[in-house]
Each structure stands twice: as C-alpha cells, then as structure tokens.
Amino acid sequence: MGSAPVTLGLVLLLVSTMLTLGTALTAEGFAVLLRRPRALVAAAAVNVVVVPAVAVALVNGLGLDGPLAYGIVLAAAAPGGGTGTLLAYHARGDLPLGVSLQGALALLGLLAVPAWSLAAPYDGAAIGGTATAQVIAMLIAQLIPIATGMWLRARRPALAERVQKVSRKVADVLLVTMTVYILATTATQLTTIPAAGFATFVLLSLVCLAHRSG
C-alpha cells in the first residue's frame, strides 16, 4: 500500500467520521456549548499549551534528542484529528464540544506546531506556514459532511439513521485498518527507540488521560 492509498484511506476516514458525527449532532447542542464557552477554552488551552509543554519537559528531562524528540513534541502539539471525535461518539461524550474543539485546534495548530517545534532539542527546521492551505482544505472537508449530516437529521431523520449506521461502520473499519497497517509497516522501527522514548510515550499518554478523566 503506497502513500496515495494511505492518503485516500485517511481522507475517507475523516469524511465518514464527520458524516457520522453530523447525523448525531443538533443545533441545540452547539447552543448549549455557546452558553459555557469556558469548557472549549480550557480544552483548547490544555491541548495547545499544557500537553506540548509536558512533552518538551519530558524529552529534555529524559535526555532525548534528534528526530525522536522532535517527533514527540510535534505529536503533542499537533491538532487533534477526526479519530478523537469518533472515539468521543462511541463513548457518548460531548459531541458539540468535540467537533468545536477539533476545528479550534486545527486553526490554533498553525501557530502552536511551529512554535513548539522550536522548543524540541533538534536542529531540524521548524515547520513553516506552508501548510495553511492544506489545513483550510481539511477544515472544509470536515465541515461539508458535518453540515450534510446535521441537515439530514433535521429534515430526514429516518434517512439520517440509515446513513449513520453505514458511515459509522465504514469509519470503524477504516480506523482499524489504517491503525493495523501503520503498526505493521513501522514495527521494525520500534526496536530503534530507546527505553526513555517509550517512557516518554507512556508518561505523556497518562497526562492526556488524566486530563480527560478530570
């Protein structure tokens, strides 16, 4: 499986996920979120500031450097993808908050990712602003299926239920397939990661889980 099929699979995963969420969302849900904006601001601050800062502290404290440290910091600072909202859907979480946070992080990431990349102990070039058009395109690709799903839920609820069942199954299958493929194709590289690298992954994951359970 080359890069083109992988890219197509990720795009289909994003679209099917957003369509699934759209058929489960209502305008009333976003109205409730607007009455408590502190939840959105707090969640964005944790993702853009707290988690990347912890990542920088860990890679420096554990003596990591080079591409590994750079990758960990970038992963911590990168905007959340559609898989987060898909998992929130399955967990019966706050979907309006999840969708709004996803959009906010995509925009904030245009500044956060290059800024935090400079804090990584690596001489590689920081990410520039060339990805702006791609981020905007991805936002549009998310908004269209979400809006379509919400329109179906409001106007054709029976059809929305049928569409949701299909799009949810497609999203779940694609998520599992892409995860297995990525793990299979990168398995040999895992042996090159030092123990401190795995420790950083675990500690950073615990920080994220502690935030979400708090």
Side-chain angles (χ1 to χ4, degrees):
M1 184 183 293
S3 59
V6 171
T7 300
L8 177 61
L10 292 174
V11 171
L12 291 176
L13 172 60
L14 181 62
V15 171
S16 58
T17 297
M18 294 303 104
L19 185 58
T20 300
L21 295 174
T23 53
L25 287 169
T26 62
E28 290 77 12
F30 285 105
V32 172
L33 178 61
L34 290 176
R35 292 196 290 270
R36 53 183 184 88
R38 285 185 296 180
L40 178 59
V41 173
V46 168
N47 283 272
V48 174
V49 179
V50 177
V51 173
V54 171
V56 171
L58 286 174
V59 297
N60 281 284
L62 294 176
L64 296 175
D65 57 13
L68 177 59
Y70 194 61
I72 291 174
V73 172
L74 289 186
T83 54
T85 48
L86 178 62
L87 295 176
Y89 168 82
H90 283 302
R92 302 183 183 278
D94 192 329
L95 293 183
L97 176 60
V99 172
S100 300
L101 180 60
Q102 181 175 331
L105 289 178
L107 294 174
L108 291 172
L110 294 174
L111 297 175
V113 173
W116 282 111
S117 70
L118 295 174
Y122 181 55
D123 293 332
I127 295 177
T130 57
T132 301
Q134 295 179 350
V135 172
I136 293 175
M138 292 298 288
L139 281 175
I140 294 174
Q142 295 173 49
L143 290 175
I144 291 176
I146 286 177
T148 301
M150 292 183 68
W151 182 88
L152 285 175
R153 180 183 172 100
R155 300 296 181 88
R156 303 283 298 277
L159 178 58
E161 289 291 334
R162 294 196 294 271
V163 169
Q164 184 184 100
K165 290 180 181 179
V166 174
S167 61
R168 183 185 62 202
K169 290 179 180 179
V170 170
D172 289 342
V173 170
L174 285 172
L175 177 59
V176 173
T177 301
M178 298 304 297
T179 301
V180 171
Y181 173 76
I182 292 173
L183 288 174
T185 55
T186 60
T188 57
Q189 301 177 25
L190 295 178
T191 58
T192 64
I193 299 177
F198 286 106
T200 302
F201 292 139
V202 172
L203 291 173
L204 196 57
S205 298
L206 291 175
V207 170
C208 295
L209 290 173
H211 157 62
R212 282 156 178 76
S213 63

